[in-house]
Amino acid sequence: MGEGASSSSKKSRKPDYSRFTQQELPACKPILTPQWVVTVFIFLGIVFIPIGLASLSASEKVVEIVHRYDEHCTPTNYTQPDLAYHDRISFIRNNKSNKTCIRTLTVPKKMKHPIYVYYQLNNFYQNHRRYVKSRNDEQLRNPNFKGDLKKTCAPEDMNGNEPVIPCGLIAWSLFNDTYGFSIKDKGLPINRKNISWPSDKKHKFGSKVFPKNFQKGSLIGGGALNESIPMSEQEDLQVWLRTAALPVFRKLYGKIEHDLEANENITVVIQNNYNTYTFEGKKSLVLSTTTWIGGKNKFLGIAYLTVGGICLFVAIVFILMYVIKPRPFGDPAYLSWNLNPSGN
């Protein structure tokens, strides 16, 4: 008796009946007739193709100069590829070698400011799992951070008994080539402020955190940092720490705030410091204008044109099939939800 009473007193897990829980509410159940399907595909084609054409037009209006300089800014004493490879590595590792390199760029079309200056690296895998994880975000923003750095930043975690700030392989491999521009022996200034994301500058890097013991180990990776400048103002580092997803990437170096006329010759003084030769990487200098779509990128326009073209093609095929060999359409009155709309 007691057992039956206890079992009957248990709450049932069955939900209370309602039209919502039993999915009996009125619903829109469209029937995809040939007319509807053709109309939808034609609409998508009419919308996508103009967007693709506008995107391609905007991309074509971007003026871009891409100049690879890593091969030209090293000694050319050797003609055999294997000897040249080792010669370049010895050159870039030698702190006493003169790494100043002068290149000349010609402006193909008028470039209106702002003109963005990028450095481009090829065959550099910033998306490698161990490389991406080799940092400590709390250390970058908290001046009182005292946590263990070995788990995330080793081997660039400590210099003796002192922590390395910023720690990790990403910061250690900071890009350190520099560029100076001039036209007809007149300097062309580069604005290097506000090149990082405002959210990174405000939230990820502390204004009271300063570099310490950075690049002071036995093996130097990339560029050094000024220890009197807080992390919130180290914009080169902030740009570099936002790792790229692909092995070919560009990062913003600065902006030129003056227009450049067509056929002008720009003299570029490059300090070729960064070692990409050991992993057969490439370095390029990029000058680019922008439009409403951003920089030069044909992919978006081609993608829209492709999808729009496919939609129009499918619509034409469906029209021909419907005209040449139409299929008889059934009576929607015999559909189950029309025969028994309540479901009871």
Side-chain angles (χ1 to χ4, degrees), residues 53-286:
L53 292 174
S55 300
L56 281 179
S57 175
S59 178
E60 288 298 322
K61 291 179 180 178
V62 174
V63 184
E64 185 177 86
I65 303 173
V66 181
H67 179 73
R68 181 183 173 186
Y69 63 88
D70 58 288
E71 289 184 327
H72 303 284
C73 292
T74 52
T76 56
N77 299 334
Y78 298 101
T79 57
Q80 298 181 25
D82 55 340
L83 295 177
Y85 169 76
H86 294 292
D87 185 47
R88 287 169 178 165
I89 294 176
S90 300
F91 166 80
I92 205 71
R93 287 178 174 175
N94 187 355
N95 294 329
K96 297 181 180 180
S97 59
N98 183 13
K99 298 183 175 62
T100 302
C101 176
I102 300 176
R103 307 296 299 167
T104 301
L105 308 179
T106 302
V107 181
K109 299 180 185 177
K110 181 175 180 177
M111 302 178 73
K112 294 183 178 181
H113 72 282
I115 301 167
Y116 294 90
V117 181
Y118 302 91
Y119 55 88
Q120 176 177 305
L121 297 181
N122 293 48
N123 202 34
F124 193 116
Y125 289 83
Q126 273 199 319
N127 60 348
H128 190 284
R129 184 177 64 87
R130 186 180 178 188
Y131 184 87
V132 171
K133 294 174 65 177
S134 186
R135 60 187 293 169
N136 191 296
D137 291 326
E138 183 65 21
Q139 182 203 51
L140 295 173
R141 60 174 173 260
N142 185 3
N144 300 317
F145 177 77
K146 301 294 182 182
D148 183 20
L149 298 175
K150 187 173 183 179
K151 184 177 180 180
T152 56
C153 292
E156 295 301 320
D157 55 337
M158 304 290 288
N159 183 18
N161 295 325
E162 294 291 328
V164 175
I165 304 175
C167 70
L169 293 174
I170 308 178
W172 175 79
S173 60
L174 175 65
F175 186 82
N176 62 337
D177 282 7
T178 61
Y179 311 106
F181 298 87
S182 62
I183 298 177
K184 297 179 181 179
D185 297 328
K186 184 179 179 181
L188 189 63
I190 303 177
N191 182 6
R192 307 209 59 205
K193 296 293 184 180
N194 301 318
I195 61 173
S196 62
W197 288 29
S199 57
D200 289 357
K201 190 173 182 179
K202 184 176 180 180
H203 301 292
K204 292 187 176 182
F205 298 87
S207 59
K208 296 183 180 180
V209 181
F210 293 84
K212 183 180 179 182
N213 300 313
F214 185 68
Q215 301 289 23
K216 293 184 178 179
S218 58
L219 185 62
I220 305 300
L225 296 175
N226 190 334
E227 295 189 357
S228 64
I229 300 177
M231 301 300 293
S232 60
E233 297 180 20
Q234 301 275 3
E235 295 196 50
D236 281 339
L237 178 68
Q238 295 169 24
V239 171
W240 182 256
L241 285 176
R242 184 165 282 275
T243 52
L246 300 175
V248 180
F249 59 87
R250 296 176 180 179
K251 291 185 181 289
L252 186 60
Y253 181 83
K255 291 177 286 187
I256 298 175
E257 305 286 358
H258 302 277
D259 293 348
L260 299 179
E261 300 297 330
N263 300 319
E264 275 190 325
N265 291 324
I266 306 173
T267 302
V268 187
V269 179
I270 303 171
Q271 291 297 326
N272 183 30
N273 300 314
Y274 199 69
N275 184 6
T276 58
Y277 305 100
T278 53
F279 56 88
E280 299 183 357
K282 301 175 184 177
K283 295 188 290 187
S284 300
L285 173 64
V286 181

Side-chain angles (χ1 to χ4, degrees), residues 293-309:
I293 200 173
K296 184 177 285 293
N297 185 357
K298 296 181 179 180
F299 173 79
L300 188 61
I302 293 173
Y304 271 108
L305 286 176
T306 302
V307 174

Side-chain angles (χ1 to χ4, degrees), residues 20-37:
F20 175 75
T21 58
Q22 298 303 318
Q23 299 184 15
E24 295 177 1
L25 293 174
C28 178
K29 299 174 181 177
I31 300 172
L32 295 179
T33 63
Q35 293 86 348
W36 268 107
V37 173

